[in-house]
Amino acid sequence: MDLLLTKNGKEIAIFEGLKLQSVNVSCIDEHIKKAIDNYNALGTATFVVAYVNVTNYDRFWNRYYEHISNYDHNMECRQAMRELTHPNATTRIAYEILSKDGYDFPVYFITIKLT
């Protein structure tokens, strides 16, 4: 976990960042596993943010989205992966809702194109 956000002593979000130059599935899976399985015992909202350095961002996003949509979290998925409206030309966002011990929490996947 790169960052744990708290408010009044309670966890409110986990932030996991990674750098990518391609859809490196082993790296992506490692960070997802860390953020959701290893560091998220409470079912806290999770943000997996990838800083991306690629020439064809649309192609990257399509491959990345396909991969994260098919990732097996080994827990109940209450809402399947959905892509959100693009906020700008260099940012893409998708999210899903997972359930841990009966508690639902969102997981956001954000990519930001650096160059």
Side-chain angles (χ1 to χ4, degrees), residues 11-60:
E11 289 184 12
I12 59 169
I14 292 173
F15 177 94
E16 178 70 23
L18 64 152
K19 293 180 184 177
L20 293 172
Q21 294 183 345
S22 66
V23 179
N24 180 337
V25 296
S26 61
C27 179
I28 295 165
D29 291 355
E30 175 186 328
H31 285 272
I32 292 172
K33 183 172 177 49
K34 280 188 346 183
I36 296 171
D37 296 338
N38 297 354
Y39 300 140
N40 200 344
L42 301 178
T44 302
T46 304
F47 297 81
V48 178
V49 181
Y51 302 98
V52 179
N53 186 7
V54 295
T55 54
N56 189 328
Y57 186 49
D58 286 333
R59 184 172 57 184
F60 169 86

Side-chain angles (χ1 to χ4, degrees), residues 11 13-14 23 30 36 54 60 62 64 66 69 72 74 76-77 92 97 101 104 110:
E11 289 184 12
I14 292 173
V23 179
E30 175 186 328
I36 296 171
V54 295
F60 169 86
N62 291 333
Y64 180 81
E66 180 181 346
S69 294
D72 183 8
N74 292 319
E76 185 177 354
C77 181
R92 301 288 183 270
I97 297 177
D101 297 326
D104 297 349
I110 302 167

